[in-house]
Amino acid sequence: GGGGGGAANALFAEINQGANITSHLKHVKKGEGLKDRPVPVAKAAAKPAAAAAKPAAAAAKPPKFALEDKRWCVEYQKGAKDLCVSEPLVKHTVYLFKCEDCVLKVSGKVNHITLDSCKKTAVVFDSVMAGVDVVNSTSCTLQTLVKVPTITVDKCDATTLILNRESLDCEIVSAKSSALNIQMPGKTDDDEFKEVPIPEQFVSKFDGDKWTTECMAHSG
């Protein structure tokens, strides 16, 4: 009992000292003693995850020019300016796929011609029974020498259609395409060909009863 009371009296005595209670503590100035502290060691930077290996570029596919059943397949041609489908049958079709900077001549009458994903490619043909389709292509040119009933242009840019006089009644269907131009003969054979742009902008108005849509005319 008595020992416990003595310890309590000593504690109260220190508290009663007030400000003097901290007199026996060691005062450290700002920055003092830092040199004695262990220098923290920077953790080794985590190694970046190995960069995912880039997939190897797809090997260029070999050019193809072949008649398969009833279809002439002209694929992956580049820079070929003298391609020719000669003496085809009327039941034959011609399919160009991913050709670039090429010229194809189709001599004779075929059923259908398709250009798919081609660039800077021209097709000169005599006659087509069903029609011609151009899809997903850029800067391509089609020229008919005899007759074509229908040409469809879908998702293309800078397509040029060159029509002869016998094909001026051709129906041209275009969708999601820009810079589509038609070159056609003048009023007489002595007149120069003239170029006509196909509108790609439209104006829709509500007349109080229904919506009407008209193409925006090109100036000039």
Side-chain angles (χ1 to χ4, degrees):
N9 293 334
L11 177 59
F12 286 125
E14 288 189 10
I15 293 175
N16 290 332
Q17 291 178 15
N20 293 330
I21 192 172
T22 60
S23 60
H24 64 283
L25 297 180
K26 181 179 179 181
H27 291 273
V28 180
K29 295 181 180 179
K30 185 177 180 180
E32 189 178 35
L34 291 179
K35 62 182 180 180
D36 299 326
R37 299 179 186 177
V39 178
V41 178
K43 293 183 179 180
K47 292 183 179 179
K54 293 183 179 180
K61 295 190 177 183
K64 181 178 182 180
F65 190 101
L67 175 60
E68 297 180 350
D69 193 15
K70 298 178 183 180
R71 172 188 283 193
W72 288 91
C73 298
V74 186
E75 303 176 359
Y76 302 105
Q77 299 281 344
K78 290 188 181 296
K81 305 288 188 180
D82 55 356
L83 299 170
C84 183
V85 173
S86 58
E87 300 182 2
L89 300 179
V90 175
K91 63 182 179 180
H92 287 172
T93 62
V94 180
Y95 180 71
L96 293 87
F97 180 66
K98 288 197 173 181
C99 293
E100 185 173 346
D101 195 26
C102 295
V103 178
L104 171 68
K105 175 72 164 63
V106 181
S107 300
K109 181 182 290 187
V110 294
N111 182 267
H112 193 270
I113 297 175
T114 300
L115 279 77
D116 185 357
S117 304
C118 295
K119 294 181 180 179
K120 299 180 181 178
T121 293
V123 178
V124 181
F125 57 93
D126 288 344
S127 293
V128 178
M129 290 286 292
V132 178
D133 290 346
V134 190
V135 59
N136 293 324
S137 296
T138 303
S139 301
C140 289
T141 300
L142 296 174
Q143 180 176 5
T144 176
L145 301 178
V146 181
K147 187 69 175 177
V148 58
T150 305
I151 299 176
T152 301
V153 182
D154 188 21
K155 301 183 186 72
C156 294
D157 181 55
T159 303
T160 299
L161 309 178
I162 305 175
L163 304 178
N164 61 337
R165 195 172 301 281
E166 290 72 26
S167 294
L168 290 182
D169 59 350
C170 170
E171 182 178 72
I172 297 173
V173 180
S174 61
K176 299 179 182 179
S177 297
S178 59
L180 171 60
N181 292 283
I182 298 173
Q183 292 185 11
M184 55 183 288
K187 292 184 178 181
T188 70
D189 292 340
D190 294 330
D191 294 331
E192 294 183 355
F193 270 62
K194 61 180 180 179
E195 186 172 77
V196 180
I198 297 300
E200 56 189 85
Q201 291 182 310
F202 302 88
V203 179
S204 298
K205 295 180 180 179
F206 186 64
D207 62 6
D209 181 41
K210 64 182 182 301
W211 284 92
T212 59
T213 301
E214 297 180 353
C215 61
M216 184 175 290
H218 288 264
S219 60

